[in-house]
Amino acid sequence: MQDPYTSRYPRTRGLASHAGPLVLLGLLALDARAEWGDPDPFFSEIPMVLTASRLAQSPLDAPAPVTVIDREMIVASGFNEIHDLLRLAPGFLVADHPDGPPTVATHGLGDAHARRIKVMVDGRTVNSPLWGNVIWDNLPLRVDDVERIEVVRGPNGAAYGVNAFQGVVNIITRAPSTESGRAFVVRTGKNGFRDYGVRLNGAGGSAFDWRLSASRRELTTFEPHFRERLGDWHSSESLTRNTAHFSAVLQLSAAEELGLQVGVSEGDSKRGAQAYLDYPPHTEEDRALHLQFGWRRHIDAESVLSVQYFHQGERAGGSWPVIQAQGTTTASFPTSRASEARRHDLELQYDTRLGRRLTGMLGIGLRSEHARSLHLFGTTRWLDSTHGQVFGSLTWNPLDPLKIDLGGTLEHHDYSGRLFSPRLAFNYALDEDSALRLSTGTAYRAPSLMESRAFQTDREGDTIRRIGFRVFDPLQSERMRFVDLGYVAQLRLFGLGFDARVFREYYRRFIDDKSCVFGECPRPEPADYVPIDPGKKSFYFLNVDDFRMTGAEFTLDWRKPGWGRAVLSQAFIRIDHGEPYSDRDIPNSAPHATTSLLLIKDFPGRWQASLGYYHNGLYYWMNGGDIVPRTDRFDLRVARRFGPPGSDNEVSLTALSLKGRYADFHEDKFRHEPDLYLGVRIGW
């Protein structure tokens, strides 16, 4: 039988899929007369990364591949949303859809609740306790608050435990000491887009530094979309968000400091469509709170002790009627979709040198999670879970060019029992600017609260009228074994950074969902279940396929003082083995190729232009999504700085998606809107 995936959308290899490399090569050729002997000051020292092993180290020494999306790239991209910045990392897939928060995946296997990437803000986990995904809309941060993003492109359970499964994203905010004075930002444009932000800083130069930012943004992300094939309309989405973020650092002494961060976000989301009887036009209310407190002390020149406490709270509210057509009449009843979740985290970490060629790190972490929702769990009581872990690493330098890193996390989770995630990595320096890396290990993803306890219902009084997601049998944790070979170089003479790797990952016990209808599910229906529509599907979770993923990816980062910068990322992925799949979308969930290219060009008079190009081959979003066809997206930003030298004052014009609307998450339903907006930033 012919694969409907390939018959409907044949794979092609047009010029556009290779445009990124061709453009970059052309730029290098045009600038062949450049004075390569004048390296960019950025390359005078190789930048440090924090996320690969919980320790500050050079990318040449890191036991895992790390991409850094720095402040220059963040500004030049023109993106207003933090999740969009991950388009700049090789292999990452980003989609918005109007029926919930944006979703992010890497190398495929993504769906509406993508939950195989651990996301942190300054080391604090922000994945939701409910699904394990990230409610990107509700992060109490704006793009202006972000200094850089470190992306670990692969499993990192050895450092962070379960759920650091396919990767780790660490959003690092701007430290109070990096800015001074005050600033005001306004952006306005199409689709009702309004974004107002203010930033205040302490006077600086004292033991106490602080930074406060606040913003309000309004936008329409999706207009109602008419589906010609079936002659109906699909969801629209309009968002309003108010955020505030406060950070402070108190230097108690030369060796000791305290840190505090508090962030809040609140707003409304208008979603739904008249065509959806169970998702009519309605308003959802979202609230989020994040708190982080840390203490850090340098015991001596090579030993550091740190303690951190994190708190995360999220609340969603909304009520709308469930409607079912019954002949010429309709049945209707109201239902609440309210939910609430909290998380408390406590971590202690100690880093020290154990000998001339041996360093070590040891830490412990405790976490408690609490959630309640009658709609999601069929009860109004709080559901509680606890999680404990011990993590550590040893780095041995037996030869000057060779580093051997042995790390792992041993943990116990209410949903998964005891798990151990080890990693062994070898880094061999070819010279002071380049190194090879070979790493192997095991990572796990524990079932989320929804995958462990879900009983999603719509109720009319005491009667269950619809069932969505539910759990029949306990699930086992997903497991991945991996091997990774990488090459990292900072060729300072040529102003060129290069990061490449090939990898193979073996997945076992992949958690998926399966549908069933009334009377045909694996377990008898509840006695109080009287379906308003017996033909309506419900879904249950189960462990399904084992399979293998093979891939290669690279990033080229070239810059020339006074000229600009070009950052090219490319990934190639293939999911195979284990067929026939229980879900045919699994092997097709990763595009065979993705490309991102960001060109930044400086012009006289403090002008700067940047062009972003983002390409993906055909792929599927699973479970709630569908086909996303081959896409080539272009973004353009033009800006001019003004005011005193060194200030961030600027006026900019940004066009996102120059080619117009494009399919996102589900080709048949959703079309992402292009954006055009004017931005002004003034500091004093």
Side-chain angles (χ1 to χ4, degrees):
M1 181 181 295
Q2 189 177 22
D3 185 351
Y5 176 86
T6 55
S7 62
R8 183 177 177 187
Y9 294 98
R11 296 169 184 161
T12 60
R13 297 181 63 189
L15 179 62
S17 65
H18 303 285
L22 289 174
V23 171
L24 180 61
L25 290 174
L27 287 170
L28 294 175
L30 286 172
D31 207 51
R33 295 173 297 173
E35 297 179 7
W36 299 107
D38 289 333
D40 190 320
F42 176 85
F43 288 97
S44 62
E45 292 185 5
I46 297 175
M48 306 296 281
V49 295
L50 305 172
T51 311
S53 64
R54 292 179 175 259
L55 299 172
Q57 59 194 160
S58 163
L60 278 65
D61 298 329
V66 183
T67 290
V68 178
I69 303 171
D70 59 35
R71 185 65 193 163
E72 182 182 43
M73 295 171 64
I74 291 170
V75 173
S77 71
F79 291 136
N80 293 303
E81 305 297 332
I82 293 174
H83 63 275
D84 277 325
L85 293 168
L86 296 175
R87 300 178 189 272
L88 297 166
F92 272 70
L93 305 171
V94 178
D96 289 309
H97 64 100
D99 295 342
T103 184
V104 174
T106 178
H107 303 152
L109 307 178
D111 58 23
H113 305 285
R115 50 205 178 274
R116 293 179 173 87
I117 301 171
K118 187 180 188 72
V119 179
M120 303 183 295
V121 174
D122 295 319
R124 176 189 74 247
T125 300
V126 295
N127 297 72
S128 170
L130 297 175
W131 277 99
N133 62 332
V134 177
I135 315 299
W136 295 97
D137 291 336
N138 292 345
L139 290 181
L141 296 172
R142 298 294 299 121
V143 169
D144 305 289
D145 297 321
V146 180
E147 179 64 29
R148 70 183 188 277
I149 300 177
E150 295 185 1
V151 182
V152 178
R153 308 186 320 273
N156 204 15
Y160 298 100
V162 296
N163 305 335
F165 191 63
Q166 285 188 300
V168 177
V169 173
N170 191 8
I171 302 164
I172 299 173
T173 60
R174 310 198 74 178
S177 59
T178 62
E179 297 179 296
S180 61
R182 297 160 293 278
F184 177 72
V185 180
V186 59
R187 302 181 181 98
T188 181
K190 289 181 57 181
N191 308 318
F193 177 65
R194 303 289 186 273
D195 187 2
Y196 311 97
V198 62
R199 186 262 300 163
L200 307 174
N201 269 78
S206 66
F208 181 67
D209 278 325
W210 60 271
R211 182 182 192 272
L212 173 65
S213 66
S215 69
R216 176 182 175 85
R217 70 187 192 277
E218 306 168 358
L219 67 160
T220 297
T221 50
F222 287 87
E223 296 285 355
H225 170 61
F226 185 73
R227 186 166 62 167
E228 295 183 3
R229 184 168 62 87
L230 295 181
D232 59 7
W233 290 86
H234 283 277
S235 294
S236 61
E237 181 184 62
S238 298
L239 306 177
T240 301
R241 290 292 186 273
N242 302 305
T243 65
H245 184 259
F246 175 79
S247 60
V249 176
L250 175 61
Q251 201 72 40
L252 299 175
S253 68
E256 189 175 10
E257 69 178 25
L258 294 175
L260 172 68
Q261 291 191 35
V262 181
V264 294
S265 171
E266 64 87 23
D268 299 330
S269 306
K270 292 180 168 53
R271 296 185 170 118
Q274 294 290 349
Y276 293 170
L277 296 181
D278 55 351
Y279 203 65
H282 62 276
T283 299
E284 301 174 25
E285 301 171 351
D286 298 290
R287 306 289 185 271
L289 168 68
H290 297 269
L291 171 66
Q292 180 173 355
F293 177 79
W295 171 80
R296 181 181 178 90
R297 179 177 176 82
H298 289 263
I299 307 300
D300 55 43
E302 296 180 316
S303 300
V304 179
L305 178 65
S306 61
V307 179
Q308 295 195 85
Y309 166 75
F310 315 134
H311 170 71
Q312 175 178 339
E314 58 187 53
R315 180 181 299 173
S319 180
W320 56 89
V322 171
I323 304 171
Q324 176 60 42
Q326 297 178 344
T328 58
T329 63
T330 59
S332 174
F333 60 90
T335 182
S336 172
R337 308 301 174 98
S339 65
E340 187 174 1
R342 302 170 185 168
R343 174 188 289 129
H344 300 273
D345 262 299
L346 182 65
E347 284 188 357
L348 182 147
Q349 180 174 321
Y350 179 62
D351 319 326
T352 189
R353 178 169 291 278
L354 301 172
R356 189 171 68 89
R357 292 182 176 271
L358 186 65
T359 59
M361 178 271 290
L362 183 65
I364 60 173
L366 299 173
R367 171 181 298 171
S368 66
E369 295 181 336
H370 316 272
R372 64 178 177 180
S373 171
L374 177 62
H375 170 62
L376 296 178
F377 304 113
T379 178
T380 56
R381 67 182 179 86
W382 285 95
L383 303 181
D384 305 315
S385 65
T386 57
H387 174 99
Q389 62 178 207
V390 178
F391 53 88
S393 66
L394 287 173
T395 303
W396 182 36
N397 199 184
L399 304 171
D400 287 342
L402 177 64
K403 285 184 172 63
I404 302 175
D405 182 274
L406 177 62
T409 295
L410 176 65
E411 56 200 317
H412 186 277
H413 195 288
D414 282 355
Y415 306 145
S416 58
R418 184 176 299 171
L419 298 170
F420 177 59
S421 305
R423 176 177 58 205
L424 177 63
F426 302 87
N427 291 70
Y428 188 84
L430 302 175
D431 54 40
E432 65 177 5
D433 293 328
S434 63
L436 293 172
R437 180 192 64 255
L438 174 65
S439 63
T440 184
T442 302
Y444 293 90
R445 186 183 79 82
S448 67
L449 177 59
M450 282 293 292
E451 291 168 327
S452 302
R453 305 289 295 273
F455 185 46
Q456 186 180 28
T457 58
D458 291 322
R459 298 168 181 260
E460 186 176 13
D462 295 329
T463 303
I464 300 173
R465 303 305 304 273
R466 277 186 179 164
I467 299 178
F469 287 99
R470 56 178 155 173
V471 174
F472 289 130
D473 298 311
L475 298 175
Q476 292 181 287
S477 295
E478 296 180 351
R479 188 184 76 183
M480 182 211 296
R481 290 179 174 168
F482 66 91
V483 60
D484 176 291
L485 177 63
Y487 171 72
V488 183
Q490 299 285 354
L491 307 177
R492 288 175 280 188
L493 179 64
F494 303 103
L496 182 68
F498 183 65
D499 182 343
R501 73 170 183 135
V502 293
F503 62 90
R504 179 163 287 181
E505 299 170 346
Y506 301 87
Y507 291 76
R508 290 202 61 197
R509 305 190 296 259
F510 183 78
I511 297 175
D512 204 352
D513 62 57
K514 189 174 182 179
S515 64
C516 62
V517 296
F518 179 68
E520 298 179 1
C521 295
R523 298 284 187 278
E525 308 295 350
D528 54 351
Y529 180 34
V530 182
I532 189 173
D533 178 7
K536 183 77 172 178
K537 292 180 180 178
S538 62
F539 300 86
Y540 61 96
F541 300 102
L542 71 167
N543 293 101
V544 289
D545 299 298
D546 301 343
F547 53 87
R548 179 178 63 202
M549 180 184 294
T550 305
E553 60 191 24
F554 68 85
T555 295
L556 281 168
D557 187 349
W558 173 81
R559 63 178 78 194
K560 176 77 172 70
W563 193 97
R565 185 178 180 187
V567 184
L568 168 69
S569 292
Q570 182 76 47
F572 304 95
I573 304 296
R574 180 178 177 84
I575 300 175
D576 56 16
H577 196 62
E579 297 187 57
Y581 290 93
S582 62
D583 185 340
R584 68 181 179 87
D585 291 347
I586 289 176
N588 299 324
S589 65
H592 291 289
T594 59
T595 304
S596 71
L597 175 66
L598 181 62
L599 301 175
I600 307 170
K601 180 70 177 78
D602 296 321
F603 294 96
R606 302 175 71 182
W607 285 89
Q608 185 185 79
S610 54
L611 175 69
Y613 167 68
Y614 308 95
H615 164 81
N616 63 261
L618 173 71
Y619 70 103
Y620 274 78
W621 284 99
M622 303 166 60
N623 306 331
D626 203 83
I627 291 174
V628 175
R630 170 182 165 158
T631 303
D632 294 288
R633 168 177 163 171
F634 294 88
D635 300 339
L636 177 65
R637 181 179 187 270
V638 178
R640 185 184 185 279
R641 292 283 179 91
F642 62 90
S647 72
D648 289 336
N649 296 347
E650 71 168 21
V651 58
S652 63
L653 181 66
T654 303
L656 301 180
S657 186
L658 290 170
K659 294 177 65 177
R661 302 172 101 191
Y662 63 93
D664 210 7
F665 191 65
H666 193 304
E667 182 197 33
D668 202 29
K669 292 184 179 180
F670 311 133
R671 295 290 187 274
H672 201 286
E673 296 295 320
D675 288 323
L676 176 67
Y677 65 87
L678 177 70
V680 178
R681 176 188 173 94
I682 300 175
W684 66 95

